[in-house]
């Protein structure tokens, strides 16, 4: 038996309190992976439970039909299991209405973006999904390719413009430094080349709000699906497993209507930069270090790596002595307490967060997670022993037998192979552009 709208569930499972069928879809979300389902969709479900309406989500997968095959036969429904040492809490999320696969039906995606009820288009396409070439400019050839977010958003905006509809808010929910400004700049570059007549309208009628998203949502495993089936009595192929912690900070800059997310714990602020920098350099910086150092020492999961007495002090130092001093904290932001909380979150054994999942796409992650911190200290003549150790571990990882899942995979492997790996990877003529110069740092 498969989860669906008529499935009886155990009374302990929280279910949507609103009439799902009566909601319009106000959000199109591109890149509907586990993270979106365990984060933004949960807040949006909360908003509709609290009485706000018409914020149903149409999910889009740019390439793969997997999520559509998981969710569409379940009428978009899936469970979120929140796992802590105290046990598991299960709830049914009703915010997602259906999933479109852009590769199979591109027009349906364009129509969803161009629908009068749509006000927000959000994204979790991972760092590489923004199709930035060297120096951060849009890779125009890739942006015209079949699975480019820009093509769909560009065509959807063109259709809105043609029919006199208002602009949209574009919300990047990926771990990029300055994700709102990055998306705005790249979208403008795309429109200037592909729809030059839209550029002025985009500039005045659309907004690209920046966001800081935070919740650890590991990829769901077959063992998770089997355990959830036992708990709820039916198969849920779209199930998501996550931690108790969840945070979302959004720059309050919307083109039109938006969900009342602030009523359900989301922080709407004027400037998200301090939140974002803290999260990228402390949480994600530590995560990537745990991944490469941990894999090098034979661990599989985050909770194992952070418990290793050889690794834990490196991670503590990275967060407290290297990343934290680089950040101008917002009022009320306590970076020491944040580091304590992160150590607890990483130690959660119920999550089974795989290091190899975090190790993916290092070329896209390392700049904002490590190199900005290194550059900050280098400018002050200081060293970062923990980040140096993390860089060494990454190079060892690139030299190892592990498969390298990264858009620069082969190039990285070649650059890392020789004795001048540091200069080939970083520095002026390295693969990864950065202000940090390894020659003098390390
Ligand atoms: C992780 C993130 O996979 C990774 O690279 O560092 O997905 C991390 O779990 C989230 O950003 C937490 O909010």
């Amino acid at each position: 038996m498969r989860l669906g709208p008529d499935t009886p569930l155990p009374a302990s499972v929280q279910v949507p309190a609103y009439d799902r069928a009566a909601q319009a879809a106000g959000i199109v979300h591109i890149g509907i992976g586990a993270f979106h389902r365990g984060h933004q969709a949960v807040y949006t479900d909360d908003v509709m439970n609290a009485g706000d309406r018409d914020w149903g989500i149409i999910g889009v997968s740019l390439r793969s039909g997997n999520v559509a095959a998981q969710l569409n036969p379940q009428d978009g429904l899936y469970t979120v299991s929140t796992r802590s040492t105290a046990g598991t809490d299960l709830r049914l999320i009703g915010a997602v209405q259906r999933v479109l696969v852009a590769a199979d039906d591109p027009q349906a995606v364009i129509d969803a973006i161009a629908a009068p009820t749509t006000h927000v288009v959000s994204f979790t396409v991972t760092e590489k999904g923004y199709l930035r070439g060297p120096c951060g400019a849009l890779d125009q050839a890739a942006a015209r390719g079949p699975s480019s977010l820009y093509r769909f958003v560009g065509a959807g905006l063109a259709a809105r413009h043609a029919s006199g509809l208002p602009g949209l808010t574009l919300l990047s929910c990926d771990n990029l430094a300055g994700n709102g400004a990055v998306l705005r700049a790249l979208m403008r570059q795309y429109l200037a080349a592909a729809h030059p007549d839209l550029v002025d309208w985009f500039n005045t009628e659309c907004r690209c709000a920046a966001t800081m998203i935070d919740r650890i949502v590991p990829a769901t495993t077959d063992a998770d699906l089997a355990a959830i089936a036992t708990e709820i009595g039916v198969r849920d192929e779209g199930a998501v497993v996550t931690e108790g912690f969840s945070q979302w900070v959004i720059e309050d800059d919307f083109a039109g209507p938006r969900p009342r997310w602030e009523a359900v714990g989301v922080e709407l602020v004027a400037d998200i930069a301090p939140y974002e920098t803290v999260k990228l350099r402390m949480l994600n910086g530590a995560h990537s270090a745990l991944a490469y150092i941990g894999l090098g020492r034979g661990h599989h999961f985050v909770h194992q790596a952070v418990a290793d007495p050889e690794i834990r002090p490196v991670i503590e130092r990275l967060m407290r002595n290297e990343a934290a001093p680089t950040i101008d904290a917002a009022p009320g932001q306590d970076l020491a307490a944040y580091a304590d909380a992160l150590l607890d979150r990483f130690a959660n054994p119920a999550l089974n967060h795989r290091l190899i999942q975090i190790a993916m796409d290092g070329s896209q992650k390392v700049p904002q997670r490590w190199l900005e911190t290194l550059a900050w200290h280098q400018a002050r003549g200081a060293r970062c022993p923990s980040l140096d150790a993390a860089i060494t571990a990454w190079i060892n990882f690139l030299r190892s037998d592990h498969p390298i899942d990264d858009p620069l995979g082969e190039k990285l492997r070649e650059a890392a192979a020789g004795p001048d790996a540091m200069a080939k990877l970083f520095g002026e003529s390295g693969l990864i552009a950065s202000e940090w110069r390894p020659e003098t740092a390390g």
Side-chain angles (χ1 to χ4, degrees):
M1 251 259 278
R2 185 86 180 261
L3 177 69
D6 303 320
T7 311
L9 292 172
S12 56
V13 179
Q14 183 194 323
V15 298
Y18 53 92
D19 180 359
R20 291 185 72 221
Q23 307 297 323
I27 300 173
V28 173
H29 184 81
I30 300 188
I32 180 162
F35 180 77
H36 170 78
R37 306 203 306 274
H39 186 266
Q40 181 181 342
V42 175
Y43 285 107
T44 308
D45 198 61
D46 282 341
V47 152
M48 289 193 282
N49 276 333
D52 202 357
R53 50 170 306 134
D54 298 332
W55 294 112
I57 297 169
I58 295 182
V60 176
S61 296
L62 287 170
R63 280 177 237 261
S64 149
N66 290 349
V67 178
Q70 290 161 0
L71 294 190
N72 287 341
Q74 301 182 178
D75 197 31
L77 292 165
Y78 62 94
T79 58
V80 170
S81 298
T82 304
R83 285 192 190 161
S84 67
T85 35
T88 299
D89 201 48
L90 261 168
R91 85 182 253 198
L92 185 72
I93 301 297
V96 177
Q97 298 188 340
R98 63 183 176 283
V99 178
L100 306 173
V101 183
D104 298 344
D105 192 353
Q107 193 56 44
V109 178
I110 297 165
D111 291 347
I113 295 171
T117 46
T118 299
H119 302 293
V120 174
V121 177
S122 51
F123 307 86
T124 44
V125 291
T126 80
E127 295 87 343
K128 63 175 176 268
Y130 291 85
L131 308 177
R132 291 175 293 176
C135 305
L138 182 67
D139 177 340
Q140 291 280 0
R144 287 177 184 252
S147 53
S148 144
L149 74 89
Y150 303 100
R151 267 192 42 182
F152 293 101
V153 177
L157 291 178
R160 293 185 79 88
H161 183 237
S163 46
L165 285 169
L168 293 173
T169 303
L170 308 184
L171 215 52
S172 162
C173 301
D174 282 294
N175 288 317
L176 306 173
N179 54 15
V182 166
L183 178 58
R184 181 184 307 116
L186 295 168
M187 198 69 225
R188 280 181 186 162
Q189 289 167 34
Y190 177 75
L191 293 177
H195 300 274
D197 51 316
L198 277 188
V199 174
D200 288 343
W201 179 81
F202 176 77
N203 288 341
T204 53
E205 301 301 320
C206 296
R207 291 286 180 277
C208 296
T211 62
M212 186 283 267
I213 53 347
D214 189 7
R215 194 170 207 190
I216 296 173
V217 188
T220 312
T221 64
D222 289 342
D224 294 326
L225 295 183
I228 291 157
T230 307
E231 278 182 79
I232 62 174
V234 285
R235 286 286 294 183
D236 172 7
E237 301 296 342
V240 171
V241 171
T242 186
E243 61 176 339
F245 183 91
S246 186
Q247 191 181 11
W248 197 10
V249 188
I250 309 177
E251 179 189 10
D252 197 357
D253 182 22
F254 283 75
R258 62 163 176 80
R260 290 200 305 110
W261 280 314
E262 70 275 28
V264 295
V266 178
E267 296 156 80
L268 275 295
V269 301
D271 178 16
I272 72 141
Y275 302 93
E276 175 193 82
T277 314
V278 164
K279 198 256 170 171
L280 289 172
R281 294 186 191 171
M282 290 180 71
L283 187 160
N284 297 115
H287 247 177
S288 289
L290 282 164
Y292 300 123
I293 301 174
L295 288 167
R297 286 178 54 80
H299 299 298
H300 295 288
F301 299 108
V302 171
H303 65 273
Q304 295 170 334
V306 80
D308 181 331
E310 296 286 321
I311 301 180
R312 194 179 175 94
V314 178
I315 297 303
E316 289 223 33
R317 192 189 149 84
L318 186 160
M319 293 197 291
R320 297 189 203 279
N321 304 79
E322 298 178 6
T326 69
I327 296 153
D328 285 325
Q333 231 180 352
D334 178 344
L335 301 188
Y338 187 63
D340 292 341
L342 287 178
L343 289 168
D344 284 348
R345 290 171 64 194
F346 295 158
N348 184 347
L351 276 184
N352 284 329
H353 195 186
R354 288 189 177 278
L355 297 170
I356 198 74
Q357 189 186 346
I358 301 170
M360 195 172 104
D361 291 342
S363 68
Q364 314 289 302
K365 294 175 175 176
V366 157
Q368 63 274 17
R369 295 182 181 204
W370 297 347
L371 304 185
E372 289 179 7
T373 304
L374 281 162
W376 189 94
H377 285 282
Q378 186 169 58
R380 288 157 183 80
R383 299 283 300 268
C384 296
S386 289
L387 283 172
D388 288 346
I391 296 246
T392 303
W394 187 37
I395 293 175
N396 288 337
F397 172 80
L398 295 173
R399 290 173 175 167
S400 74
D401 295 337
H402 284 290
I404 308 296
D405 189 345
D406 191 299
L408 298 186
E410 267 320 299
K411 288 184 181 161
L412 287 173
R413 224 191 248 292
E414 275 166 34
D420 47 357
M422 290 291 259
K424 284 196 170 156
L425 285 170
F426 309 107
E428 254 154 333
S429 53
L431 268 180
I432 318 249
S434 83
E435 279 176 37
W436 177 62
R437 297 284 176 263
E439 292 81 9
T440 50

